[in-house]
Amino acid sequence: MSRDDVVAAAAGLIDSGAFQALLERRVAYPTESQNPDRAPVLLAYLEEEMVPALAAMGFSSEILPNPSPDQAPFLIASRLEDPARPTVLVYGHGDTVRGQDAEWREGLAPWRITVEGDRWYGRGTADNKGQHSINLSALEQVIAARNGKLGFNVKLLLEMGEETGSPGLAAFCDQQREKLAADVLIASDGPRLAAERPTIFLGSRGAFNVELRLDARQRGFHSGNWGGVIRNPATILASAIASMVDAQGRLLVEELRPRGIGNSVRAALADVTVGGGPSDPEIDAGWGEPGLSPAERLFAWNTLEVLAMGAGNPAAPVNAVPPSAMAVVQLRFVVGTDPTRIVPAIQEHLAARGFGDIQVISKRQDPSPATRLDPEDPWVVWAASSIRRTTGSAPAILPNIGGTLPNHVFAEILALPTVWIPHSYAACSQHAPDEHILVPLTREALAMMAGIFFDLGEDGAPGR
């Protein structure tokens, strides 16, 4: 079969109903990793669903314990043809957030596929059962087309705890370096830049939450009797936050600001447009770091966001100076930011401005570093060329997504180039009721990944 034949066969899995049937079976497992009672279901997804499916594709699988106590196991599957050929590591996660069963729109339910027009509803359709199922289905089409051969080697890592922060993943990959050794990671998670534009992203921003707290006294005091002569912790905390991020959203903590944007990153983002979708918020002109495009602010810069703040009882305020105030702020950060310096940098910044009595409390015990593969890396150029050949248009290339994935495990512990090709879109309602995938996007994704895997068997590793 030719490349065009394989691409068409993969896309045809939508029209034949084969991919829908596969996804229906997988969505039916209520793999809520945030629910401790679902631990047996997490294991069943691997044992009952994935191991037999992978065996039919010529993979040998093993389910291994999680180094983190009382956490879900991992699955490693391998299909090795020739040590002289490149090896691809494919990653996915079979767990989901809670189903939120009672909150879905009438006629929908989390643990079954419901078809409405071009949307397939169900928990995990977008995050992440649908995405890793697309990649495996595309691999299966290439195997069939080449009479049982791929032309390269594949290793698969499936975890069942991504939605609880991937506990044990870093330690597991450190322990299993030999079994997971590969030339590149090709994986899928998260959304495209826009539903209609294929996207490649090469890493992720880090995320670090910090609680700011000021306890001034044991109780509140009447504002008429004491206002103006005793400190108001809410006023002080608001002023402290204003010293960290200004009224236009510009980060003011000097140590936490990036040192610049590299030429290859700036070039990759030159044709990237943020937003514009029917359910996207309107971009606020003038918000964020001045002199940068919206794409550069989102994907190549650090931002400090106030996630929550409070003093007294906002729902029922009383005439009293509150005794304490607190806020949670989050730093989203790019490569070059040392996460171990975030708390000390904030402490030093506040102390230098007279806010030294504000407590700065880390809310992240094991911060994930930001990661980014160079957009000019040969694997990126090769993958973009393959996608262009299949779709007829150039994909968006994001040096990293604005959110956070455990990409540092693959980029730093396993030392792999990391190429992520997402198969969802921003309005898919992942983590919310009514999660869904788009059928046209899924058809295109199956075709793209079949092209990627077909080309790898033809071309070998780029740069060799």
Side-chain angles (χ1 to χ4, degrees), residues 191-196 273-283 298 425-428:
R192 290 179 171 190
L193 179 67
E196 66 278 2
T273 300
V274 177
S279 60
D280 293 341
E282 184 177 350
I283 301 299
L298 181 59
Y425 77 120
C428 68

Side-chain angles (χ1 to χ4, degrees), residues 195-210:
E196 66 278 2
R197 187 172 187 190
T199 300
I200 299 173
F201 66 84
L202 310 174
S204 68
R205 286 201 295 182
F208 197 107
N209 288 13
V210 173

Side-chain angles (χ1 to χ4, degrees), residues 88-156:
V88 174
L89 176 63
V90 177
Y91 162 83
H93 64 91
D95 66 312
T96 70
V97 297
R98 292 180 183 271
Q100 301 168 290
D101 304 46
E103 299 175 38
W104 287 57
R105 179 166 53 79
E106 185 178 357
L108 305 181
W111 311 118
R112 70 166 190 260
I113 297 288
T114 303
V115 179
E116 290 187 358
D118 282 341
R119 295 185 175 193
W120 293 355
Y121 289 89
R123 177 64 82 220
T125 51
D127 189 17
N128 175 258
K129 293 175 181 176
Q131 301 214 37
H132 65 250
S133 295
I134 286 170
N135 293 349
L136 293 174
S137 295
L139 276 170
E140 189 173 29
Q141 293 305 303
V142 177
I143 293 169
R146 289 200 168 121
N147 299 314
K149 294 290 184 181
L150 277 171
F152 58 96
N153 310 301
V154 183
K155 297 177 180 180
L156 170 69

Side-chain angles (χ1 to χ4, degrees), residues 108-455:
L108 305 181
W111 311 118
R112 70 166 190 260
I113 297 288
T114 303
V115 179
E116 290 187 358
D118 282 341
R119 295 185 175 193
W120 293 355
Y121 289 89
R123 177 64 82 220
T125 51
D127 189 17
N128 175 258
K129 293 175 181 176
Q131 301 214 37
H132 65 250
S133 295
I134 286 170
N135 293 349
L136 293 174
S137 295
L139 276 170
E140 189 173 29
Q141 293 305 303
V142 177
I143 293 169
R146 289 200 168 121
N147 299 314
K149 294 290 184 181
L150 277 171
F152 58 96
N153 310 301
V154 183
K155 297 177 180 180
L156 170 69
L157 172 62
L158 276 181
E159 71 162 316
M160 301 301 292
E162 195 272 347
E163 301 294 4
T164 57
S166 297
L169 178 63
F172 180 80
C173 289
D174 192 33
Q175 292 173 1
Q176 305 295 337
R177 287 173 187 264
E178 185 174 347
K179 289 182 178 179
L180 297 172
D183 293 288
V184 65
L185 172 83
I186 297 179
S188 301
D189 203 349
R192 290 179 171 190
L193 179 67
E196 66 278 2
R197 187 172 187 190
T199 300
I200 299 173
F201 66 84
L202 310 174
S204 68
R205 286 201 295 182
F208 197 107
N209 288 13
V210 173
E211 179 182 333
L212 305 176
R213 173 172 289 277
L214 178 57
D215 296 313
R217 55 191 66 87
Q218 292 293 318
R219 62 184 181 88
F221 287 87
H222 194 284
S223 57
N225 296 336
W226 299 101
V229 296
I230 62 173
R231 297 192 306 158
N232 187 313
T235 303
I236 294 170
L237 187 60
S239 299
I241 293 172
S243 82
M244 299 168 62
V245 57
D246 70 15
Q248 284 72 48
R250 180 173 180 263
L251 177 61
L252 302 177
V253 183
E254 189 60 35
E255 186 178 341
L256 301 183
R257 291 170 54 81
R259 295 295 169 254
I261 301 175
N263 291 336
S264 63
V265 171
R266 196 178 292 275
L269 295 175
D271 70 340
V272 169
T273 300
V274 177
S279 60
D280 293 341
E282 184 177 350
I283 301 299
D284 289 313
W287 182 262
E289 184 66 21
L292 303 183
S293 70
E296 290 167 343
R297 294 171 192 162
L298 181 59
F299 300 116
W301 205 254
N302 292 1
T303 61
L304 189 72
E305 303 294 341
V306 180
L307 303 185
M309 62 189 303
N313 183 353
V318 296
N319 295 326
V321 177
S324 62
M326 65 82 64
V328 175
V329 299
Q330 180 186 73
L331 184 75
R332 290 279 183 176
F333 59 93
V334 297
V335 168
T337 305
D338 180 0
T340 66
R341 282 290 304 163
I342 293 174
V343 167
I346 293 174
Q347 289 173 327
E348 293 163 12
H349 172 93
L350 293 178
R353 287 154 183 80
F355 302 115
D357 51 353
I358 293 177
Q359 299 177 67
V360 182
I361 305 164
S362 170
K363 306 298 286 185
R364 184 72 183 262
Q365 293 182 344
D366 183 23
S368 299
T371 54
R372 175 191 292 159
L373 182 64
D374 191 321
E376 296 178 352
D377 184 273
W379 279 105
V380 182
V381 175
W382 171 84
S385 176
S386 175
I387 291 173
R388 188 184 304 111
R389 184 177 176 187
T390 301
T391 66
S393 60
I397 298 177
L398 307 181
N400 47 261
I401 54 170
T404 302
L405 287 170
N407 192 60
H408 67 290
V409 173
F410 310 109
E412 298 184 354
I413 295 176
L414 297 180
L416 298 178
T418 54
V419 178
W420 294 81
I421 306 172
H423 306 321
S424 183
Y425 77 120
C428 68
S429 297
Q430 69 180 95
H431 294 191
D434 305 346
E435 179 181 347
H436 61 276
I437 55 172
L438 297 178
V439 174
L441 192 161
T442 302
R443 179 186 286 107
E444 184 179 64
L446 284 160
M448 282 191 333
M449 297 311 296
I452 286 274
F453 295 134
F454 186 92
D455 291 344

